[in-house]
Amino acid sequence: MTADSLPGAGGAAGPCVVQYDVTNPGAEPFTYTITFSLMDEQGRAMSNVEETVASVGAGKTVRRTLEHGGYPGGGVLDAGRVRILDVERVPSDEAPAPASSCPASGLRLTADQGDAAMGLRVVGLHLENCGSRTYSLEGYPVLQLLDAEHQPVDGIEILRGTDGIPMAGGDEGPPRPVTLRPGESAVSGLAWRNTTEFGAAVTVPYVRVRAEAGADPVTVAPHLDLGTTGELGVRPWRKDETGAGRGTGESGSGRPGAQGPYGMPSSS
């Protein structure tokens, strides 16, 4: 991935247009999410910008222009002040649907930015009925852990419930039926500790999620830093009564101190 600058309307001394290329070396279309860091004149990070480039064809290169409306202080942006912090890629037919669209299934599945405190990690999974029919489910999301090359990660025990994850809290009992009318959402979540003791620490960048067995897969990128614990807890689906994620597929994590449906704080 490369970036370069072109003079903007303000001339050589004015803001520049920063363009970047995304190349897909794979054998199928991938959707890329790139996190850029915008720097000041002294090389200090001022803000981050995340952009998604959808459906880059196999062996193709596409060029995009960095949307930098959030650059602070009216500074001049050029490629020399842009750093790439992270690049995520998922198969395009498994990419989370943006809020502006609804999959053919009528269900939009997304993951939030999560919350971390004292070694405990929690990431929410959100399932929105964006279609026109009522949808019912019961139980747990079906998970497959994937490495950076989207190959299965073995040796991790996926626990039904989070009672076995220290400090994760309970799951409000066993799974129960959830009925989602159009516009309503359900929430689940992943919880783990990143304790590191003996052995090699394990990091899982991607998780392929199905709302239930047989449902269409969606690949999310929660970057599970599992340490040496070898365990990941998954909570059962519950009706999202908070209304925080309705219409967006997100958890409303921009509200500092907000509580999620399981009583865990949303990320801020």
Side-chain angles (χ1 to χ4, degrees), residues 15 45 76 114 122 166 173-174 176 195-196 255:
V76 177
V122 179
R176 52 181 181 263
T195 306
T196 300
R255 298 178 294 111

Side-chain angles (χ1 to χ4, degrees), residues 135 137-143 160 209-217 237:
Y135 186 83
L137 76 164
E138 180 179 0
Y140 299 84
V142 179
L143 309 179
R160 290 197 163 193
V209 184
R210 288 177 170 85
E212 58 184 349
D216 294 339
W237 289 114

Side-chain angles (χ1 to χ4, degrees), residues 30 124 133-134 160 162:
F30 275 86
R133 300 180 181 179
T134 297
R160 290 197 163 193
T162 57

Side-chain angles (χ1 to χ4, degrees), residues 112-182:
D112 61 29
Q113 295 298 309
D115 184 80
M118 297 178 63
L120 176 66
R121 307 287 194 260
V122 179
V123 168
L125 299 177
H126 304 269
L127 184 69
E128 180 193 354
N129 183 354
C130 56
S132 58
R133 300 180 181 179
T134 297
Y135 186 83
S136 298
L137 76 164
E138 180 179 0
Y140 299 84
V142 179
L143 309 179
Q144 184 181 27
L145 308 185
L146 304 175
D147 65 16
E149 300 303 320
H150 301 91
Q151 297 301 309
V153 175
D154 299 321
I156 304 299
E157 184 179 5
I158 298 177
L159 307 176
R160 290 197 163 193
T162 57
D163 290 339
I165 306 297
M167 298 179 62
D171 297 318
E172 302 178 356
R176 52 181 181 263
V178 175
T179 299
L180 301 178
R181 296 188 299 271

Side-chain angles (χ1 to χ4, degrees), residues 24 42 59-60 66 82 151 165 180 183 217:
N24 175 14
Q42 285 74 45
K60 302 295 185 181
L66 178 62
V82 176
Q151 297 301 309
I165 306 297
L180 301 178

